Amino acid sequence: ALSSTRLRVKSKNISTLEINYAIPDYLGALNAVFEYSLTGKRKDKGHYSQPVQTSKNSVAYTNITPGLYKFTIRMVGCDWDGTTKNIVLRVTPPFFKSIIANLFYIIFLLSLAAFFVRHISNKKENEKKRSLEQLEIQKQKGLAETERSYALLK
């Protein structure tokens, strides 16, 4: 029996998803045949959707990408025949690939770019001020020399 029909899977690198299941009928469990399927979108290969029959009590899926999946299982050929159980699985991306992290990266990069632009403009402004100060000093020296020359002529 399923205790929860919704699960959230969080992992940095989920390469394999293994689901184990059992039936409460211990006498019939030896001859039990299960039919299961996993539906949900995969970016690389479309959908998992083919129902598979097996006598094993576990299934493993590889290369699960973030998204919403529905695992469906039922017993075939016993007293529990026709009873279907569903589990909704939400595979979430790791934090460094989440929307919040991407927004943080964008804001960080924009702030960094703004800092560099401001730094370069401040540097150019300081250079301009220094060159104006140099010109002012040269102008003052020129005026002082002109005044001395004029004073000597008198």
Side-chain angles (χ1 to χ4, degrees):
L2 292 174
S3 60
S4 175
T5 58
R6 294 183 155 267
L7 295 173
R8 176 172 263 176
V9 180
K10 292 182 181 180
S11 178
K12 290 182 180 174
N13 184 10
I14 181 165
S15 59
T16 303
L17 173 65
E18 185 174 351
I19 301 172
N20 297 307
Y21 42 85
I23 59 170
D25 182 10
Y26 298 108
L27 295 176
L30 297 175
N31 300 324
V33 176
F34 300 97
E35 182 177 273
Y36 64 86
S37 66
L38 181 69
T39 56
K41 232 177 193 181
R42 286 185 61 178
K43 292 179 183 175
D44 55 347
K45 297 182 181 174
H47 297 272
Y48 287 114
S49 62
Q50 298 292 340
V52 177
Q53 288 190 1
T54 185
S55 59
K56 294 181 181 179
N57 66 342
S58 68
V59 62
Y61 294 99
T62 58
N63 298 326
I64 300 292
T65 58
L68 191 62
Y69 298 90
K70 181 179 174 186
F71 180 74
T72 304
I73 188 164
R74 71 182 188 97
M75 291 285 300
V76 179
C78 71
D79 295 340
W80 294 82
D81 194 13
T83 303
T84 302
K85 294 290 183 177
N86 297 311
I87 300 174
V88 176
L89 301 164
R90 178 179 301 275
V91 178
T92 57
F95 178 74
F96 62 89
K97 289 185 179 179
S98 68
I99 293 172
I100 293 171
N102 287 335
L103 288 173
F104 173 76
Y105 301 147
I106 290 169
I107 290 170
F108 177 75
L109 290 174
L110 289 174
S111 299
L112 195 61
F115 171 77
F116 281 122
V117 166
R118 188 169 181 186
H119 176 71
I120 290 170
S121 72
N122 284 345
K123 189 175 180 181
K124 285 182 179 179
E125 190 175 316
N126 287 339
E127 287 175 2
K128 189 177 180 181
K129 281 182 183 178
R130 267 190 247 120
S131 67
L132 286 174
E133 287 173 358
Q134 292 283 339
L135 286 173
E136 187 66 31
I137 290 171
Q138 288 176 355
K139 182 180 164 185
Q140 292 297 330
K141 284 182 182 178
L143 282 175
E145 275 190 39
T146 305
E147 285 178 358
R148 266 188 257 138
S149 299
Y150 183 73
L152 288 175
L153 289 175
K154 280 188 178 183

